[in-house]
Amino acid sequence: MKKIVLTSIRKMEPTVGDEPKIEKPTDVKIKVSVVGVCGSDIHYYSEGKIGSQVVKYPFPVGHECSGIIEEIGEEVSRVKVGDLVVIDPSVHCGECDQCRGGRPHTCRNNKFLGCPGQLDGCLAESIVMPEFTCFPVTGKLSKTQAALIEPLSIGVYAVNLANISDIKISAGIFGAGPIGISILMKLLAEGVSNVGTIEPLEYRLKKASEIGASYLINPEKEDVETEVQKREELLLDVVFEASGEQEAVSNAIKILKPGGKLVLVGIPPSAEYAFNMDLMRRKELTVINVRRQNHCVEEAIDLVVSGKIDVEKMVTHNFSFDETPVAFDIVEGYKDGAIKAMINL
Ligand SMILES: [Zn+2]
Ligand SMILES: [Zn+2]
């Protein structure tokens, strides 16, 4: 079986590995169809780690994928051979306090697809996963749409965590990468139409505008606080941070109104952020952390099937399996207007 593995920093190579085998009666073997290149894959590619998660070479990354069921274990009932499936990359234990408490995404024994030391990624012709990670979507979604459900579900979850009770609120998003755009798409689908996007890359601002952002701010050219104040005198109710930048967090605190919510989704390069606690306390801001997603895959599928979200709008590039190293190079360097690159196996 062919797979593409990281062999050192910024180096990927094709290799031949053993066919993965069904081990448990509830496992399924999936022929991978489409893989999305994620910002977290890029961290492993360019830095060899995310925080304490360090790559041991060779390692296949990739966790955003769709595929076709090619073999099922004896007890599988959820899917059948030939089904196109959305794959939730998160494999929880089902037994710990977190799983029992309805938080499988913070499972203490969680294993994640394409995460070093956990599960090999999906940049491989076939993978084996437990059936509960598979959501059949034959005839409902394309292979590409199905692979985009994973990043979309994170945007859906971030917005759900913000617990917006009134669609007339004013919202802001830092970052117009795939997650920032997923958040924007979910907000618009909910009927929240007053959403500003703050992003230094002009081509990404243009994409946010095409999707429906109400106003755009380039923090490298304009003062974020001044620009927001021009549009929203009382400032913003909710701000989503999807860039992982300290400067974005600092600006977010400035542009939130008293009682506002700061939703942290982006992965910062270092483990720590500094917060202006004087402002945070005076405004009594709420900070919400987002860990991947929890129970939002089905909602994300429904939003795409119903046409409320055109998730493919975030795709800027398509590559063949052999072109995977080129895809990573382009996404890492923000080259050629890259937002979301898809690899077609
Ligand atoms: Zn991802
Ligand atoms: Zn668990």
Side-chain angles (χ1 to χ4, degrees):
M1 178 195 66
K2 192 163 138 187
K3 49 185 183 173
I4 295 189
V5 293
L6 293 175
T7 51
S8 63
I9 299 282
R10 290 196 179 84
K11 200 146 190 258
M12 300 186 100
E13 286 173 64
T15 168
V16 176
D18 293 340
E19 268 310 302
K21 287 199 174 59
I22 287 189
E23 278 166 17
K24 292 184 196 145
T26 48
D27 281 348
V28 296
K29 187 176 168 194
I30 308 152
K31 189 175 184 323
V32 177
S33 301
V34 178
V35 179
V37 179
C38 175
S40 61
D41 300 329
I42 296 297
H43 282 288
Y44 293 129
Y45 172 75
S46 59
E47 294 148 43
K49 62 179 166 85
I50 296 180
S52 54
Q53 231 99 49
V54 183
V55 174
K56 267 197 198 143
Y57 301 109
F59 183 70
V61 287
H63 59 272
E64 300 179 0
C65 62
S66 62
I68 305 284
I69 301 289
E70 56 178 346
E71 195 184 328
I72 59 173
E74 287 154 23
E75 286 169 26
V76 169
S77 57
R78 212 180 143 82
V79 291
K80 57 181 191 311
V81 171
D83 280 351
L84 170 67
V85 291
V86 165
I87 299 155
D88 177 352
S90 182
V91 180
H92 58 276
C93 77
E95 281 159 23
C96 71
D97 62 325
Q98 298 294 304
C99 286
R100 286 180 191 277
R103 300 180 48 88
H105 62 310
T106 51
C107 168
R108 292 178 193 270
N109 310 303
N110 192 272
K111 288 194 162 65
F112 202 81
L113 197 61
C115 195
Q118 297 180 13
L119 301 174
D120 280 4
C122 57
L123 280 170
E125 283 176 318
S126 296
I127 56 171
V128 166
M129 293 288 278
E131 67 164 328
F132 70 76
T133 64
C134 296
F135 295 76
V137 291
T138 309
K140 291 181 176 179
L141 298 182
S142 69
K143 289 172 178 175
T144 300
Q145 287 172 323
L148 290 164
I149 293 297
E150 199 273 340
L152 179 62
S153 70
I154 294 167
V156 168
Y157 182 51
V159 174
N160 288 348
L161 278 184
N163 202 10
I164 294 164
S165 52
D166 179 0
I167 60 166
K168 291 199 193 76
I169 60 151
S170 54
I173 304 170
F174 282 88
I179 299 300
I181 283 173
S182 295
I183 292 167
L184 176 60
M185 286 173 161
K186 160 72 173 165
L187 285 170
L188 295 170
E190 289 289 308
V192 177
S193 57
N194 183 359
V195 189
T197 293
I198 302 128
E199 157 72 56
L201 297 170
E202 288 295 333
Y203 76 89
R204 292 192 169 197
L205 282 177
K206 191 164 161 268
K207 177 67 85 177
S209 160
E210 280 165 24
I211 288 165
S214 332
Y215 55 93
L216 312 169
I217 299 171
N218 185 331
E220 282 176 359
K221 295 181 182 162
E222 300 161 302
D223 180 64
V224 175
E225 194 181 3
T226 314
E227 292 305 311
V228 169
Q229 227 156 14
K230 275 189 208 163
R231 277 112 178 165
E232 292 296 325
E233 216 187 327
L234 299 177
L235 302 176
L236 308 185
D237 295 282
V238 187
V239 171
F240 296 88
E241 199 308 296
S243 71
E245 298 288 337
Q246 171 68 57
E247 195 193 328
V249 171
S250 304
N251 274 323
I253 293 166
K254 291 183 196 160
I255 62 173
L256 275 161
K257 64 170 70 162
K261 293 173 189 170
L262 170 57
V263 185
L264 297 176
V265 195
I267 303 174
S270 82
E272 289 175 20
Y273 277 136
F275 293 93
N276 179 333
M277 276 315 298
D278 181 54
L279 262 182
M280 289 256 283
R281 184 177 53 80
R282 281 175 202 281
K283 291 189 185 182
E284 204 181 46
L285 300 181
T286 299
V287 179
I288 299 167
N289 283 286
V290 180
R291 173 61 168 162
R292 296 176 182 150
Q293 63 85 26
N294 186 12
H295 290 109
C296 288
V297 174
E298 274 163 324
E299 187 188 340
I301 292 171
D302 290 345
L303 285 165
V304 178
V305 172
S306 68
K308 285 186 184 157
I309 286 180
D310 182 358
V311 73
E312 279 184 87
K313 271 191 182 164
M314 75 169 80
V315 177
T316 52
H317 291 73
N318 271 288
F319 296 96
S320 67
F321 195 28
D322 290 336
E323 290 170 323
T324 300
V326 184
F328 273 66
D329 177 59
I330 283 179
V331 176
E332 193 221 353
Y334 301 94
K335 291 176 189 168
D336 189 30
I339 296 179
K340 192 74 183 172
M342 309 304 285
I343 293 162
N344 300 273
L345 274 77

